[in-house]
Amino acid sequence: MFSAHFSSLSRDTRKAIYLICLAVGVVGISYGSLATAYGFPLWVPLFSSLFVLAGASEFMFIAIVAGGGNPLAAAVAGLLVNARHFPFGIAVRDLVGSRLSALLGCHIMNDESVVFGLSQSTQQQRKAAFWLCGLGVAVIWPVGAVLGSVIGKFLPDTQMIGLDAVFPAIIMALVLPALKSRVTLTRASCGAALSLLAVPFTPVGLPVLLSLAGLLARRK
């Protein structure tokens, strides 16, 4: 099924992929714990981690719904967060495989697998890194989510140990490098301002969508 051999990767690359997958598992534990704390049954984080497999949008969905937001608005917000997968798909189109394997290859496409896949020097190594990381994340993320859901049942208050801050911290870490661009900084600031202004007057989840208007801002 796979034309690439994981053995073509250097030891350091494999080690880095394993460490990234381990970190993803830790974040998955926090996701499952938060879902349980918000009152979601076990099947929700399990289903989403298996079939959505997109951490940021999963965090956003449970946060918006738990806050009283419309599930449809939460789903749309999650889709917008994952809009980056369109350019990802173009960048790794030769790594995901063909025919039936392409379905799995597209499913395991995420930030980590794309970064490792594109950073290798040869085509064989790029494909091997993409699949090794993608499959690793696809396995460890649901395991972490389920484990977190079980652990969450024994925690009286997940906010006491700071798990509620994990999602904002992850998003901030992803966003900060992009803010080096003045155009991006201007548009992100305008979107954030619009979202904050809309909070008192709109339903939960809608401010996130309104923040997209910040993309219309131009640098003078």
Side-chain angles (χ1 to χ4, degrees), residues 44-114:
V44 173
L46 175 60
F47 182 89
S48 63
S49 61
L50 283 173
F51 298 103
V52 178
L53 195 58
S57 63
E58 293 176 54
F59 270 108
M60 180 172 290
F61 180 85
I62 65 170
I64 291 177
V65 174
N70 188 302
L72 181 59
V76 172
L79 288 174
L80 292 175
V81 169
N82 283 329
R84 66 189 186 281
H85 283 70
F86 286 105
F88 280 0
I90 296 174
V92 299
R93 62 184 182 278
D94 58 338
L95 304 181
V96 299
S98 58
R99 299 181 180 179
L100 292 178
S101 65
L103 296 177
L104 179 59
C106 290
H107 183 61
I108 65 173
M109 181 180 63
N110 50 57
D111 301 276
E112 295 82 8
S113 62
V114 170

Side-chain angles (χ1 to χ4, degrees), residues 29-30 32-34 36-37 147-163:
I29 292 175
S30 69
S33 299
L34 284 176
T36 299
L147 182 60
S149 296
V150 174
I151 294 175
K153 295 180 180 179
F154 300 98
L155 296 177
D157 185 3
T158 56
Q159 295 185 4
M160 292 179 62
I161 58 176
L163 288 178

Side-chain angles (χ1 to χ4, degrees), residues 97-143:
S98 58
R99 299 181 180 179
L100 292 178
S101 65
L103 296 177
L104 179 59
C106 290
H107 183 61
I108 65 173
M109 181 180 63
N110 50 57
D111 301 276
E112 295 82 8
S113 62
V114 170
V115 168
F116 275 104
L118 296 180
S119 64
Q120 306 305 307
S121 57
T122 69
Q123 175 66 11
Q124 184 182 27
Q125 291 174 334
R126 285 193 290 270
K127 194 165 187 179
F130 173 84
W131 279 92
L132 179 59
C133 186
L135 289 173
V137 170
V139 171
I140 199 67
W141 177 252
V143 170

